[in-house]
Amino acid sequence: MLDSFLGSGTTCAVAQKMGRKYIGIEMGDHAYTHCKKRLDMVISGEDKGGISKSVDWTGGGGYRFYELTPTLINKDEFGEYVINPTYSAEMLAGAVALHEGFTYEPDGEKFWKQSHSSENSYLFVTTRHLSATFLESIAGGMDDDEHLVIACCSYDKGVEKMNSHITVKKIPQMLLDKCEFDKSNYNFNIVNPPVYDDK
């Protein structure tokens, strides 16, 4: 079941009691004060209303609660695209990994192995300026068959051509074509919406 305007959480409450899969969507504090509160009561068995009696509901099960993060890229007062300051280093690394098709899973030994897409392909996201010296220190710890993408905010001129195993990208520019940023409402580009008979 999908309820994109969940309201007080009734659709999800009924689906939970009936053992059905469901997705509920709600905006603002309402999601916490009404929807989450209602589902917590359903899980604990405190919610006795609706179909509880007919399905002999006593509680149980669980659900996952997700919250959308704010936009990753914003425009500053000069019209330049910048990283949203509300993102921590970990949030930024995870978000860039997701957009670039990597799995965010930091390595315990090598700091630059933040994310991986295959056995020998890695992504390192940093907000610090990438200098030639810093790049060389990373390259010195790489194996010959490893490839690394470094996503950073700025870098020295020519540093992107220093090592054939390292690709250097600027964070805002690498993401701008993939998603809509700096918006409060997003347009869903549905090319061929499903068509249903009147019946």
Side-chain angles (χ1 to χ4, degrees):
M1 297 176 131
L2 170 64
D3 189 342
S4 55
F5 301 95
L6 193 52
S8 62
T10 301
T11 303
C12 291
V14 172
Q16 180 72 31
K17 292 173 186 177
M18 295 180 71
R20 295 187 181 176
K21 293 182 179 180
Y22 58 88
I23 296 173
I25 303 168
E26 193 51 78
M27 292 177 59
D29 293 338
H30 193 83
Y32 294 93
T33 60
H34 290 71
C35 306
K36 187 177 186 313
K37 188 175 179 182
R38 174 87 180 271
L39 279 173
D40 289 343
M41 289 176 66
V42 170
I43 301 298
S44 68
E46 296 173 59
D47 186 284
K48 304 290 185 190
I51 64 164
S52 295
K53 196 171 185 178
S54 62
V55 297
D56 196 27
W57 182 255
T58 57
Y63 64 93
R64 293 182 181 170
F65 188 90
Y66 296 96
E67 184 175 336
L68 293 178
T69 57
T71 180
L72 175 57
I73 305 292
N74 288 332
K75 279 186 181 176
D76 65 12
E77 62 270 22
F78 305 107
E80 295 293 319
Y81 284 103
V82 294
I83 298 163
N84 189 331
T86 62
Y87 274 73
S88 66
E90 292 78 18
M91 286 172 65
L92 176 63
V96 173
L98 180 67
H99 285 293
E100 290 296 298
F102 286 78
T103 301
Y104 180 66
E105 200 170 44
D107 184 85
E109 295 178 17
K110 295 190 177 179
F111 70 91
W112 51 267
K113 288 186 176 181
Q114 276 181 344
S115 305
H116 60 85
S117 68
S118 68
E119 225 173 85
N120 300 314
S121 184
Y122 302 96
L123 170 70
F124 173 54
V125 180
T126 179
T127 54
R128 70 180 280 185
H129 179 81
L130 182 64
S131 65
T133 306
F134 187 39
L135 187 136
E136 284 173 356
S137 70
I138 292 172
M142 291 176 64
D143 293 335
D144 291 338
D145 62 343
E146 290 179 329
H147 182 79
L148 176 65
V149 176
I150 300 178
C152 58
C153 296
S154 61
Y155 53 85
D156 285 349
K157 186 175 181 183
V159 81
E160 73 278 13
K161 298 175 185 172
M162 284 180 57
N163 190 300
S164 60
H165 292 273
I166 298 176
T167 303
V168 179
K169 295 183 177 183
K170 240 180 153 184
I171 296 172
Q173 281 71 27
M174 69 190 283
L175 299 175
L176 289 176
D177 293 335
K178 298 191 175 199
C179 300
E180 291 182 292
F181 294 104
D182 197 33
K183 291 176 180 269
S184 57
N185 61 324
Y186 294 89
N187 297 316
F188 293 98
N189 184 19
I190 302 173
V191 179
N192 293 307
V195 178
Y196 300 100
D197 292 334
D198 291 339
K199 296 178 183 178

